[in-house]
Amino acid sequence: MVAVHGKDDIKTLLQEHEHSLLKLKAKVKDVAPDYMDEIWLLRYLLSSKYDVDKAALGVQKAVEYRKTNDSWLRAAREEHTVAPDDAAIAEYIKVGRHKRTTDGNLVFIVRLGISRPSDAASAFTHEQLLKRQAFLTEQNYWICDRYSRETGKLSRVVSIIDMTGVSLSSGHTDRRFFKILGENSHNSEFLHPQLLAKMVIYNPPGIFKVMFSLAKLFVSQRTIEKVAVCTGGGGGLKKIKTAEKCPVAGSLFAQDSLPSFLGGDCTCAESGLQGCVANFSNAQRTQIPLPSNHAQRLSERKSAK
């Protein structure tokens, strides 16, 4: 690890909480997985606000969950593996990782406005959609774990929700989709402590208050507390300096690394990609068309019931 300084300096945190970490390690020794060490346990201790018993309970629940779901979740420990049903679900929901913030956190973007969450909830089962969401979150967790060890600083995720184009008529308030987000959020409390640094809402629509009230019914309180809203204008933050209209974005992103659909200069063309998220065009600002086999998927789901 390289030398770093600040509140997220792993070496300093390990030294400060050495005694509590030893107690935590002793409490969970009977369930200790092969990937458990002081750095892994540190996240649990920080999230529990140094309550060793609470941290131990989180560890035990995480170990049991991963053991129960090992057949499909283990692959998420690698960066370039693919989530269950990923290609099919990606035809409806556009999400993906995109570079890092200026302070080194992983960026994960959800292009909610152009996505079709309600149609996805009709075409796939709750379990299918939840598995994909859980896999991607797990994958982000292990990427941050590796990066933390390389840099000596706790790495987290900044999630950007691009709401350009979100509306009631487009199915963006479907409770089935919010239930999936909520369940994954609550599971992540014990599976991925200290993972979410900030959730940035870009260009919220007029119905945002309704959506946020709905989200509060399902999503964990810790997640809600990390939400920051940027109003923007036009398409995302197009033609608007990010620091001017969104202090959060201005402090987290360099203009050349922010995707063009959020007002930045990045198109990821230098990487040979068609766009910054899910290899999908940055120019898309309206809801994507339904896949050609959508009706067939609906029929197959109906027959399977």
Side-chain angles (χ1 to χ4, degrees), residues 188-199:
S188 197
E189 292 279 297
F190 62 83
L191 279 171
H192 313 118
Q194 294 292 302
L195 180 62
L196 184 63
K198 185 74 67 178
M199 180 178 289

Side-chain angles (χ1 to χ4, degrees), residues 79 97-108 140 142-148 150-151 155-158 252-254 257-258:
E79 182 172 352
R97 291 183 289 273
H98 175 73
K99 301 186 178 182
R100 293 185 178 274
T101 62
T102 51
D103 57 358
N105 285 323
L106 185 67
V107 178
F108 188 81
N140 288 343
W142 290 110
I143 291 172
C144 287
D145 179 78
R146 286 190 290 273
Y147 194 73
S148 296
E150 292 170 6
T151 63
S155 175
R156 299 180 176 86
V157 170
V158 171
L252 292 177
F253 305 101
S257 68
L258 193 67

Side-chain angles (χ1 to χ4, degrees), residues 5-69:
H5 304 284
K7 64 182 180 67
D8 288 331
D9 175 23
I10 292 175
K11 184 176 180 181
T12 300
L13 290 169
L14 291 177
Q15 291 173 344
E16 288 179 352
H17 305 296
E18 181 180 9
H19 181 64
S20 294
L21 285 167
L22 286 172
K23 288 175 64 177
L24 177 56
K25 192 173 184 178
K27 277 186 172 291
V28 298
K29 64 179 181 180
D30 293 336
V31 298
D34 56 3
Y35 47 80
M36 190 186 87
D37 62 8
E38 286 79 6
I39 296 177
W40 189 77
L41 290 173
L42 178 62
R43 289 183 183 266
Y44 283 91
L45 192 63
L46 294 175
S47 281
S48 69
K49 297 182 179 179
Y50 318 112
D51 183 327
V52 174
D53 290 332
K54 188 176 180 180
L57 180 61
V59 169
Q60 291 163 359
K61 290 174 70 175
V63 171
E64 181 60 30
Y65 184 94
R66 289 193 174 100
K67 186 183 298 183
T68 302
N69 297 283

Side-chain angles (χ1 to χ4, degrees), residues 68-218:
T68 302
N69 297 283
D70 185 75
S71 63
W72 59 271
L73 194 59
R74 174 178 287 269
R77 296 185 197 177
E78 302 300 326
E79 182 172 352
H80 299 295
T81 50
V82 179
D85 298 305
D86 186 75
I89 297 173
E91 293 183 276
Y92 297 81
I93 301 174
K94 299 300 181 183
V95 302
R97 291 183 289 273
H98 175 73
K99 301 186 178 182
R100 293 185 178 274
T101 62
T102 51
D103 57 358
N105 285 323
L106 185 67
V107 178
F108 188 81
I109 300 177
V110 179
R111 297 197 66 184
L112 184 59
I114 69 170
S115 296
R116 289 183 168 272
S118 183
D119 292 310
S122 297
F124 302 95
T125 66
H126 177 92
E127 182 183 23
Q128 284 177 301
L129 293 171
L130 180 60
K131 277 187 175 181
R132 192 221 189 192
Q133 188 74 18
F135 190 99
L136 293 173
T137 309
E138 178 86 346
Q139 203 166 43
N140 288 343
Y141 179 75
W142 290 110
I143 291 172
C144 287
D145 179 78
R146 286 190 290 273
Y147 194 73
S148 296
R149 295 169 191 275
E150 292 170 6
T151 63
K153 176 184 176 182
L154 279 181
S155 175
R156 299 180 176 86
V157 170
V158 171
S159 180
I160 302 177
I161 315 298
D162 178 21
M163 288 194 161
T164 306
V166 165
S167 68
L168 280 172
S169 61
S170 298
H172 289 108
T173 58
D174 194 313
R175 293 174 70 93
R176 294 173 298 174
F177 187 66
F178 279 96
K179 284 181 180 179
I180 292 161
L181 297 180
E183 188 171 342
N184 186 63
S185 167
H186 285 285
N187 287 343
S188 197
E189 292 279 297
F190 62 83
L191 279 171
H192 313 118
Q194 294 292 302
L195 180 62
L196 184 63
K198 185 74 67 178
M199 180 178 289
V200 186
I201 308 295
Y202 272 77
N203 201 23
I207 61 167
F208 176 69
K209 287 185 178 180
V210 175
M211 295 183 70
F212 197 55
S213 296
L214 186 59
K216 286 180 178 179
L217 298 176
F218 300 102

